[in-house]
Amino acid sequence: MLLEKLNLMLVSYKGVRVPTDKKYKDSSVVYYRYGGIFPKVYMNQEGDLTYDLLNGKGALEADKRQTFFTLPTGIKDPLKSTKKYESDQKDVQIIGKETKHIFIITGIIRRLGTGNIYTGIDTSDNSEIIMKEARYGSLPDWQESEYRHIHLKENEMNLLKDKLFSQTIPTSEFIDYFWNADSFFIIERKIEGLTIKDLLSSNPLLKQKREVLNIWKNDNLISVWKQISCIFINLHKLDLVINDISDDNFIISKNNKVYLIDLETICKFDNNQYRKISTLRFETVK
């Protein structure tokens, strides 16, 4: 079998995880999945490309490229495995490195190739938490190919633990961290609210029923804008710059307070090692 031959040939090599695929045995470079070859390609109404493939019943089905191994209807994995798929894992228990608290994963709110974002519970007080994952080998560049994203996540952890920063910049509360295999996780207190992206999508002008959220009142919008401006001003007062600015990096709580929730790319002005990291829709035009 080709997989076995590749596994034997590449046994001494080290690679990164392929989130959409399933690892072959214990290899770190040989993965496999169903689909991806000669798909039917379409463009949807939003202008995004979608991919269809034949499932096990001979019908076209979307080629869903999740950040975990998945199979279309009627297709079985030809290789036997006792490992559960990520989608089957519920109520996973984690022990924090610092607090030794037991944390339970209750759901996934975002699946990313670089690492998922999970919801969970801190069993010490039953409070809601967020777990952010950084996968080994993700976000590589020519200077740092293996641990770049893990270092970014460690940077966020260090900022959250910094008393002056947390007193100056409204952000989430750091709780703990842990490692799982080759992934690094930080645990933060969950903030209930809307991201700026969620807010924009709730624009009453885009709604047929004209549902108007309280946040869309003029005074509230002005307050939100002022708070975002203050966050940038205070970052600069701390001699810091944020490289990745996007509408997903700010959250508005139920009482209309704005929090900065993505700190990975914040650096000192004179040591800005993450200046090339940005979100596509918000990057500098060259």
Side-chain angles (χ1 to χ4, degrees), residues 14-53:
K14 187 177 182 181
V16 300
R17 186 192 310 180
V18 183
T20 58
D21 299 10
K22 189 174 182 182
K23 180 185 291 190
Y24 178 70
K25 293 186 176 180
D26 292 323
S27 174
S28 67
V29 293
V30 181
Y31 288 77
Y32 66 94
R33 70 182 295 266
Y34 181 86
I37 301 176
F38 307 121
K40 300 283 187 179
V41 183
Y42 303 93
M43 182 175 288
N44 61 25
Q45 293 181 345
E46 287 75 33
D48 297 324
L49 294 178
T50 60
Y51 304 85
D52 286 353
L53 45 77

Side-chain angles (χ1 to χ4, degrees), residues 168-199:
T168 307
I169 306 298
T171 187
S172 48
E173 176 190 350
F174 173 78
I175 300 177
D176 214 325
Y177 76 95
F178 66 93
W179 286 85
N180 181 27
D182 54 3
S183 287
F184 176 72
F185 294 78
I186 60 174
I187 304 173
E188 303 173 10
R189 191 76 62 198
K190 184 179 180 182
I191 301 172
E192 292 288 350
L194 293 173
T195 65
I196 300 295
K197 185 177 181 179
D198 295 331
L199 172 65

Side-chain angles (χ1 to χ4, degrees), residues 116-153:
N116 295 336
I117 302 177
Y118 300 88
T119 56
I121 298 292
D122 182 347
T123 61
S124 68
D125 58 7
N126 289 324
S127 60
E128 293 186 272
I129 58 166
I130 296 292
M131 296 183 188
K132 298 180 178 180
E133 177 188 12
R135 288 177 176 160
Y136 170 79
S138 58
L139 293 180
D141 68 0
W142 67 275
Q143 290 179 316
E144 189 177 11
S145 61
E146 296 181 89
Y147 294 98
R148 190 174 186 227
H149 192 206
I150 290 174
H151 290 160
L152 280 163
K153 198 61 69 181

Side-chain angles (χ1 to χ4, degrees), residues 40-154:
K40 300 283 187 179
V41 183
Y42 303 93
M43 182 175 288
N44 61 25
Q45 293 181 345
E46 287 75 33
D48 297 324
L49 294 178
T50 60
Y51 304 85
D52 286 353
L53 45 77
L54 287 175
N55 62 23
K57 297 183 178 180
L60 286 175
E61 183 175 319
D63 184 10
K64 297 178 181 178
R65 304 195 180 192
Q66 309 276 20
T67 56
F68 57 91
F69 180 72
T70 185
L71 292 169
T73 305
I75 299 296
K76 295 183 178 180
D77 186 352
L79 305 177
K80 293 182 179 180
S81 175
T82 57
K83 293 182 179 180
K84 292 183 178 181
Y85 300 159
E86 176 186 329
S87 55
D88 295 331
Q89 295 176 348
K90 298 179 181 179
D91 295 336
V92 178
Q93 292 191 358
I94 304 295
I95 299 178
K97 280 287 186 181
E98 293 186 356
T99 63
K100 304 303 180 185
H101 290 176
I102 296 176
F103 302 95
I104 297 176
I105 294 176
T106 57
I108 302 176
I109 58 175
R110 184 165 298 175
R111 292 184 169 94
L112 301 168
T114 54
N116 295 336
I117 302 177
Y118 300 88
T119 56
I121 298 292
D122 182 347
T123 61
S124 68
D125 58 7
N126 289 324
S127 60
E128 293 186 272
I129 58 166
I130 296 292
M131 296 183 188
K132 298 180 178 180
E133 177 188 12
R135 288 177 176 160
Y136 170 79
S138 58
L139 293 180
D141 68 0
W142 67 275
Q143 290 179 316
E144 189 177 11
S145 61
E146 296 181 89
Y147 294 98
R148 190 174 186 227
H149 192 206
I150 290 174
H151 290 160
L152 280 163
K153 198 61 69 181
E154 288 176 334

